[in-house]
Structures are given as C-alpha cells and as structure tokens.
Amino acid sequence: MQKPDQPDWNEMAKTFDAWLPYIQPLAERLISRLDLMTGMKVLDVACGTGEPGLSIARTWKGDVDLTGIDTAGAMVDVCNKKVKEEGLKGINHLVMRAEEIGFPDKYFDRVICRFGVMLFDDPVKGLCEMVRVLKDGGLMTFSVWSSLDKIEAAAIPFKLLAKQFPEDDQPPEPKMASLGEPGILEKLLRDAGVRSYHIEPIILTYIFSNPEEFWQLVIKSGFSKENYERLSQEKIEAWHRALILDLRGHEQDEKVHLTNEALVVVVEKDGI
Ligand SMILES: C[S@@+](CC[C@H](N)C(=O)[O-])C[C@H]1O[C@@H](n2cnc3c(N)ncnc32)[C@H](O)[C@@H]1O
C-alpha cells in the first residue's frame, strides 16, 4: 500500500455536506463534552463546511464567540455563505493552518475539532498549537476516525474501488484512518505534551433504505473522486455492481446498516 492520501479539500467543499447528517451525532458528543458557558471564546479547527462550530452558533445565538479555521479557502467560503444566509451571530471563519494558529497563547476557553487532526501535515505541531491557544483549565474535544476496517462506510467502497486497479497501481489508503490503529493517538498526545485526557470510542451507524442509496451518496459526496476519475466507465460499473452486492450482506430489517467507529478525545489543559 502507498502512503495514506487525502482529497483536494477545495474541490470537496462542493460536496462534503452530503455526509453531515450522518456525522451530526458526533458533533453533538463533542459539543456536550465542552461544558460551554455564556461569553466563552471557542475555536473550531479544520472547520470544513462549518461543523461543529455552526451547531454551536445556532444553539448559542451570539452568546459565545466562535472562530472557525481551515486551510481550504473554498471551505471557508461555504461557511461564510451559511453564516450570512442563516443570519448567525458571533462567528467568524478564517483561512488558517492548524499548525500555525494566528492567535495569542491562552486566547480561547474551548477548542473543538471534528475529523481534522488525522489530516494535518504535522499532527503533533497542530495539536501543540491547539493546546497553546487554550487557556489553562480550558477544555478541548476532538475526534478522529478509527482504523479503516472499523469504518464500514469508507472501507467497503474503498476496498472494492481498489480492486478495479492493477496490483502495481493501487490507490493509497485514505488518510482519514491514519490515527486509528491502537496506540497511535496516545503517542500523538504524549508527543504534544498533553497529560490530562481521555479517549471514548463512538459508533456512528449510517442507515440507508437500500444499497443504491449508499452508492448515490458515495458518488454525490465525491468519495475517493481522485481515484475513480482514473477508471474507465466499464470499471466504474464493475465497482458499482460489486458495492451493491457487498451491501446486501449488511441488510437488516430491509435497510442497509453501516457501522463506523470514531474516537472522541477530551483534553483538559493543566497548565503545560
Ligand atoms: C473531513 S473535513 C472535516 C470538516 C469539519 N470539521 C466536519 O467535521 O464537518 C477535514 C477538513 O480539514 C481541513 N484541513 C486539513 N488539514 C488542515 C490543516 N493542517 N489545518 C487546518 N485545516 C486542515 C480540510 O481542509 C478539511 O476542510
């Protein structure tokens, strides 16, 4: 297998929202562990098309001061459009790398990040920065995906897609699963000097009316787009057929159930 890979996030800004309803329970878990209070300053790192920051802004209606940052300008544009359309208050989005957060030390009361850390070019540096801008005693919650075999909604389409390529041209494993193997996250936290934390697994079950509905989501969301765009129409059809067949094995009560494990990390900054 080649080095793990990730998509072009500026391109993905057009289609990423297709996944949001499926991963919303995770936004709620991350927010619930933040113990938010009126007047707090909150940073949403790798905010993508706005989550979980926008969920906070919708609930708190200007009573917390939110900043979302992301490296992809097109993602930040989507956030700004949503803020304008919904008339949300107290939220600001900026193009900024997690590895170089342009805010002073101990500036934020809370830091949150859903599915960003495993994609950073330098996860230790990014995590150090997230801790640096957090006040002493402040809370940070973030999530990463578990290993690929525990993310059915990614592993099934990815492995069947890989089968459409010759042995010497296999697509790289998605970077989304790069921190999921046992011990990797703990090492990362140690390397970033984080001492006070706990990790909770969470299962996100995606339910589809039928296998075709999941296939449509795979295509609509641009899943592994950079790889399947290299396939002939014939190979795409073979991938489609293989996926539909595989998903029949995941049917319960006439619906397709796909279970996906993520890891939720809760950090309390202890003055490091
Ligand atoms: C899977 S999306 C998650 C978006 C959003 N947090 C959510 O859960 O809906 C990952 C995001 O991380 C951003 N990203 C990747 N590397 C980054 C970095 N080094 N600093 C900031 N953002 C980064 C990407 O541009 C992308 O928008």
Side-chain angles (χ1 to χ4, degrees):
M1 223 23 116
Q2 295 174 37
K3 203 166 144 272
D5 202 11
Q6 62 176 319
D8 172 345
W9 290 108
N10 280 304
E11 180 64 23
M12 285 295 282
K14 299 175 198 153
T15 54
F16 187 76
D17 277 1
W19 294 106
L20 293 189
Y22 300 96
I23 55 177
Q24 182 60 17
L26 182 53
E28 283 153 21
R29 172 75 70 89
L30 290 169
I31 295 167
S32 76
R33 296 287 188 269
L34 271 189
D35 196 16
L36 286 172
M37 284 175 246
T38 300
M40 283 188 162
K41 287 196 188 73
V42 183
L43 177 67
D44 180 5
V45 177
C47 59
T49 58
E51 291 299 334
L54 292 179
S55 289
I56 296 176
R58 288 181 192 114
T59 306
W60 286 81
K61 302 190 193 319
D63 287 342
V64 297
D65 178 5
L66 251 146
T67 303
I69 62 166
D70 199 284
T71 37
M75 288 288 192
V76 170
D77 291 345
V78 172
C79 295
N80 288 333
K81 188 161 175 270
K82 289 181 184 178
V83 167
K84 199 166 166 208
E85 279 171 7
E86 294 183 45
L88 295 169
K89 302 279 177 249
I91 183 160
N92 187 25
H93 292 98
L94 305 168
V95 177
M96 193 180 282
R97 290 179 75 225
E99 291 91 335
E100 289 168 280
I101 301 178
F103 284 90
D105 296 356
K106 306 180 187 190
Y107 185 82
F108 293 98
D109 300 282
R110 300 288 185 257
V111 174
I112 192 165
C113 175
R114 183 176 71 179
F115 295 147
V117 178
M118 70 273 181
L119 303 171
F120 296 166
D121 296 325
D122 187 340
V124 174
K125 195 163 179 208
L127 212 48
C128 285
E129 278 291 272
M130 288 157 69
V131 173
R132 179 185 66 76
V133 297
L134 185 61
K135 287 182 182 163
D136 292 342
L139 295 173
M140 167 163 80
T141 58
F142 71 91
S143 63
V144 299
W145 284 112
S146 285
S147 53
L148 190 60
D149 57 320
K150 292 186 179 163
I151 323 166
E152 289 183 337
I156 297 170
F158 177 76
K159 286 179 181 165
L160 296 172
L161 174 69
K163 283 194 177 156
Q164 307 309 317
F165 288 89
E167 274 298 310
D168 59 357
D169 185 24
Q170 284 291 292
E173 191 169 300
K175 198 175 177 186
M176 64 189 279
S178 59
L179 297 182
E181 293 292 345
I184 297 189
L185 198 47
E186 289 83 348
K187 180 175 184 320
L188 176 66
L189 287 156
R190 238 184 358 259
D191 290 350
V194 177
R195 290 187 295 247
S196 182
Y197 68 88
H198 70 268
I199 300 175
E200 315 165 352
I202 176 172
I203 301 291
L204 301 167
T205 304
Y206 302 177
I207 300 177
F208 302 93
S209 304
N210 51 59
E212 187 61 27
E213 190 178 279
F214 179 63
W215 166 257
Q216 291 301 333
L217 176 64
V218 166
I219 296 303
K220 187 173 147 206
S221 66
F223 175 87
S224 214
K225 191 167 184 254
E226 61 288 359
N227 292 312
Y228 82 74
E229 280 182 349
R230 297 196 288 126
L231 291 176
S232 64
Q233 192 54 36
E234 198 184 323
K235 289 281 185 193
I236 293 176
E237 281 163 20
W239 177 38
H240 180 190
R241 281 193 302 276
L243 185 64
I244 299 293
L245 192 66
D246 192 292
L247 292 174
R248 299 246 178 264
H250 293 265
E251 280 175 333
Q252 289 171 39
D253 306 327
E254 298 184 14
K255 299 223 188 278
V256 175
H257 292 237
L258 299 179
T259 58
N260 306 287
E261 187 181 276
L263 303 169
V264 170
V265 186
V266 182
V267 173
E268 183 176 354
K269 182 168 171 183
D270 56 3
I272 47 175

